[in-house]
Each structure stands twice: as C-alpha cells, then as structure tokens.
Amino acid sequence: MSRIGKQPVELPSGVSASVSGQTVEVKGPKGTQSFTATDDVTISVEENVITVMPRGKSKRARQQWGMSRTMVANLVHGVSNTFKKELEIQGVGYRAQLQGNSLKLNLGLSHDVDFKIPDGVTVTCPKQTEIVIEGHDAQLVGQVAANIRDWRRPEPYKGKGIRYKGEYIFQKEGKKK
C-alpha cells in the first residue's frame, strides 16, 4: 500500500478543483493548472479533499498511485504558493547577472553563457553568486535549476561550480607529493 498515495490532498481556501475523465484542473489565486492521470488510477473530489485510488493491484497501478497523488499535490501548492530553488556559485571570478530575459553566467569558460529564461519562471540574482528560481510549476522550476547547474557542476577537488543551496560536495584529497 502506498504511503504517499493513500494520503488525501486537502484544498486550501481560495482553491477549487474539478475532475473530468482523467484530467484534474485546479484553480487558485495564482492561476490554473491541470494534470492528466493515466488509466491506472481513479481521481475524485469530495468537498475540500482530492483522493487518488489505484484501479486494480498491478505493479503499474501502485506506481502511478503515489506519483499521481504527488502531481495533484504539486498542482494545489503551485496555484496557491510558488516553488523555489536556490543556487550558489563558488569559484574565483564565477558570477551571474540578469540581462533582460536572459541570465549571463561567467563560469571560467572561454565565453560567457547566456541562459534564456523560459516563460513561467522568474529568476533573480540577489548577489552575484546567488541565483533564485521561482515559479508555479514544480517540474519546470527544477528543470531550469538543473539546466543552469549543468553549465558548471561542482568539482570534487576544490568545490568550484554551481551547487544547490545547502548541497554538500564530498571533497577528495589531491595528489600526494
């Protein structure tokens, strides 16, 4: 039995949900989002609670049960709040700055990286070594953060690169003399 799937998703005040077929549409103060579930689960809305139940006992139905419940919970959170990822840049001369709708990254490469910010995501740079990514879609926020991080992942000897805030990088010992 799925520990995540069996928990109901409660709707906060100001948020409403409707189900038509396998599509869940959630409306809130920050906008509208929808998710289409597979045929392996049944989604129902009663009063201020959304429940997800599997159809059958197959392995795929149990897998989709927890995943669908999490997707619905992310929709509810996204229309009432925002998702946020914070990145830190470490390294001499490494920095980031906003220029219009793009993020300019100086990462020790032979050229500056101009990262185009997609719609639905807001990126801010409170400091030259910090990047804050916010949006209403959890998947999009995480993907943008991962794409920015891929330009210079933290290396294990000096720890230089772009890391998530609070991420621990295991430091390796260098060559012995």
Side-chain angles (χ1 to χ4, degrees):
M1 189 147 191
S2 175
R3 293 181 196 171
I4 295 171
K6 66 182 175 184
Q7 298 172 357
V9 179
E10 294 186 20
L11 297 174
S13 60
V15 176
S16 63
S18 62
V19 176
S20 62
Q22 290 297 101
T23 303
V24 180
E25 187 171 323
V26 181
K27 294 179 184 173
K30 305 275 184 174
T32 303
Q33 290 186 347
S34 63
F35 167 69
T36 303
T38 62
D39 291 330
D40 298 315
V41 295
T42 305
I43 301 173
S44 61
V45 178
E46 294 149 4
E47 297 173 15
N48 284 343
V49 175
I50 301 174
T51 56
V52 180
M53 296 301 296
R55 290 183 185 165
K57 296 187 179 198
S58 68
K59 184 176 181 179
R60 179 171 165 77
R62 288 181 284 129
Q63 291 170 342
Q64 295 297 317
W65 183 20
M67 193 272 307
S68 298
R69 188 263 178 208
T70 302
M71 293 296 287
V72 170
N74 284 346
L75 293 182
V76 171
H77 184 271
V79 297
S80 58
N81 302 316
T82 58
F83 290 97
K84 183 178 183 180
K85 290 275 187 180
E86 297 180 26
L87 299 172
E88 295 176 335
I89 302 174
Q90 289 189 350
V92 177
Y94 290 12
R95 61 184 172 269
Q97 58 189 355
L98 281 174
Q99 288 186 341
N101 195 26
S102 66
L103 182 68
K104 186 175 182 179
L105 301 168
N106 296 353
L107 300 172
L109 301 172
S110 62
H111 60 286
D112 293 344
V113 176
D114 287 328
F115 183 81
K116 185 161 172 50
I117 301 168
D119 294 335
V121 174
T122 56
V123 176
T124 56
C125 292
K127 297 180 187 172
Q128 287 186 339
T129 58
E130 289 182 10
I131 303 170
V132 179
I133 303 154
E134 293 180 306
H136 300 293
D137 187 2
Q139 194 276 331
L140 185 61
V141 169
Q143 188 64 52
V144 169
N147 289 345
I148 292 172
R149 185 178 184 266
D150 277 344
W151 280 103
R152 182 69 82 173
R153 289 182 174 222
E155 53 98 13
Y157 295 101
K158 293 183 180 176
K160 293 173 20 171
I162 302 174
R163 65 178 71 187
Y164 294 109
K165 191 168 195 166
E167 180 182 8
Y168 176 75
I169 304 299
F170 179 75
Q171 297 281 330
K172 290 184 179 178
E173 189 175 336
K175 262 190 190 178
K176 302 262 186 195
K177 287 189 177 182

